[in-house]
Amino acid sequence: MVKTTLLTLLLLATSSLAQQPEPEWNGYVQVRYTDDFQNLHAFEVRRAKLWMYRQTPFLDQFHYKVQGKFSFKNQGNFILQDVFAEYRFKNGWIRAGQQKPDFSLERNQSDYLIAVAERTLVVDALIPAAESGARDIGLQLHLKSKDKWWNGSAGWFNGTGGNRVGTADGPFLFTTRQRFHFAFSGNINFNMGVSGSYRKGTGMRFRKIFPADSLFSGKDFRYGAEAEFGGKSWSLQGEYIEAHFENQRAFGWYLLGEYYLSDRHLIGIQAEYFSDLNAMTEDNPAYDLSYSWLLKGQDAKVLADLRVQPDSGENNISFLTQFQLFFN
């Protein structure tokens, strides 16, 4: 009798689950070939991402997201990026869990949409959670005006990074980003904004800014200014970011232009500069020229990128071509 009852309950549960819509997973892969005309001539899986962002079946206002990434830089490991719960309301949302602290225009643009091969050095190094995949664990509130001319965020995080535990005297990280939107006739749009972050830590390691064996203790204050201007077939964006570590300063900027020759052909031109706090590196500008063949928009495209960066009187030149494909 007990076995019959358990079997009946199992069949009823299975039937109930079968009637519910299956979670919809999204993802993409980027495979590239790189040649620096010196030592590197190789294929790599640059990144592969898989994520699910859905509304809960019991309350419409609640959402959740889980995202993981395989990356060549992480030696083939699949790492957790995002895992958070979100409550949405009419003019914004509040999010709890592991997520991106809202800082910088380019860091909030998906990598599959960027016209050049990589995000800029200054953004990669100076965003608050640069050492842990641009993620941290905490709370973040995002608000927007009714007419959409303004949106802003405020975040409170552990300050130790994603996939890392907080500490008892945690170097809590506070962030904010404020953006303003202006629309003009002829489908011309202009956006501008500012970002800021602050924390006070002890024995923190910032390998992308300081020498690898350096530890920093003290006040870490960063800010940035951003702007983007564009029409139907073109856009221009730029940022300036500066970070203060007590009496030391790292800073940089970039300028990126994009132009659609047609619905299937995109040109990108970029200049960037980053000044770090490592005496072993040279602070020289770098330039990118890219071309994208959009086979099916961003869902399937081929990207070719030529990068030039002067170094000790010589030009370091690298070329890569990358194929991007979405799974669904």
Side-chain angles (χ1 to χ4, degrees):
M1 179 66 180
V2 174
K3 291 183 178 180
T4 304
T5 302
L6 290 175
L7 180 60
T8 302
L9 291 174
L10 180 60
L11 290 173
L12 289 172
T14 304
S15 175
S16 176
L17 288 173
Q19 294 174 7
Q20 297 180 4
E22 294 184 0
E24 181 180 349
W25 287 92
N26 298 287
Y28 66 93
V29 62
Q30 295 172 337
V31 182
R32 69 170 55 165
Y33 175 79
T34 305
D35 193 330
D36 67 358
F37 306 103
Q38 295 182 36
N39 303 313
L40 179 61
H41 325 278
F43 291 97
E44 65 177 273
V45 177
R46 176 62 185 88
R47 58 173 65 88
K49 288 187 178 181
L50 189 65
W51 70 88
M52 178 173 58
Y53 177 67
R54 285 183 62 83
Q55 182 183 75
T56 60
F58 45 85
L59 285 173
D60 293 345
Q61 299 95 330
F62 286 93
H63 294 69
Y64 63 91
K65 183 180 181 182
V66 179
Q67 176 173 299
K69 181 183 77 168
F70 164 89
S71 175
F72 182 79
K73 292 182 179 179
N74 293 316
Q75 301 179 340
N77 294 319
F78 195 79
I79 63 171
L80 179 68
Q81 285 191 301
D82 297 323
V83 53
F84 58 75
E86 182 180 87
Y87 176 75
R88 287 188 167 269
F89 49 92
K90 185 177 180 180
N91 293 318
W93 47 255
I94 185 168
R95 184 179 291 171
Q98 181 160 301
Q99 57 191 293
K100 286 188 291 186
D102 191 13
F103 188 103
S104 163
L105 167 63
E106 188 187 58
R107 199 57 192 80
N108 280 277
Q109 295 170 325
S110 299
D111 50 65
Y112 64 82
L113 295 174
I114 298 175
V116 293
E118 295 288 351
R119 290 189 176 92
T120 54
L121 295 175
V122 60
V123 171
D124 186 53
L126 294 189
I127 57 172
E131 303 297 320
S132 57
R135 266 72 177 180
D136 211 320
I137 303 172
L139 292 170
Q140 192 158 215
L141 171 67
H142 188 277
L143 299 173
K144 59 183 178 180
S145 62
K146 185 177 180 180
D147 52 7
K148 299 182 180 179
W149 74 273
W150 166 84
N151 67 81
S153 67
W156 177 24
F157 302 91
N158 283 341
T160 50
N163 299 318
R164 300 176 183 178
V165 296
T167 58
D169 58 346
F172 285 121
L173 170 68
F174 301 94
T175 64
T176 185
R177 182 172 176 231
Q178 309 296 319
R179 281 172 53 83
F180 305 90
H181 171 74
F182 306 92
F184 303 96
S185 60
N187 292 320
I188 303 297
N189 291 279
F190 176 66
N191 298 301
M192 61 181 297
V194 293
S195 299
S197 72
Y198 174 82
R199 69 183 146 198
K200 185 176 182 180
T202 302
M204 302 198 72
R205 196 181 300 274
F206 301 119
R207 296 181 180 87
K208 297 182 179 182
I209 304 172
F210 294 91
D213 57 350
S214 296
L215 295 177
F216 171 77
S217 297
K219 296 177 181 178
D220 169 6
F221 170 63
R222 313 184 191 196
Y223 66 87
E226 64 188 59
E228 56 180 336
F229 187 58
K232 183 178 180 180
S233 61
W234 61 276
S235 67
L236 183 66
Q237 73 177 56
E239 291 188 72
Y240 176 84
I241 302 176
E242 186 167 306
H244 291 260
F245 305 93
E246 294 293 346
N247 61 345
Q248 302 180 83
R249 179 180 72 123
F251 66 96
W253 55 265
Y254 76 87
L255 188 65
L256 169 64
E258 302 178 10
Y259 181 71
Y260 282 86
L261 300 173
S262 70
D263 291 341
R264 300 186 66 180
H265 304 283
L266 171 65
I267 297 292
I269 301 176
Q270 178 173 270
E272 63 169 302
Y273 176 78
F274 173 50
S275 177
D276 60 21
L277 296 170
N278 186 347
M280 300 302 293
T281 61
E282 291 198 18
D283 301 332
N284 297 311
Y287 309 93
D288 283 84
L289 175 63
S290 71
Y291 162 75
S292 295
W293 180 23
L294 308 175
L295 303 172
K296 184 65 176 177
Q298 299 291 342
D299 291 345
K301 76 173 182 180
V302 178
L303 168 72
D305 187 287
L306 179 67
R307 182 176 177 86
V308 180
Q309 184 172 27
D311 186 4
S312 300
E314 299 181 358
N315 288 327
N316 291 328
I317 302 175
S318 62
F319 172 81
L320 68 83
T321 182
Q322 176 176 281
F323 178 59
Q324 174 174 293
L325 183 67
F326 271 70
F327 302 146
N328 56 4

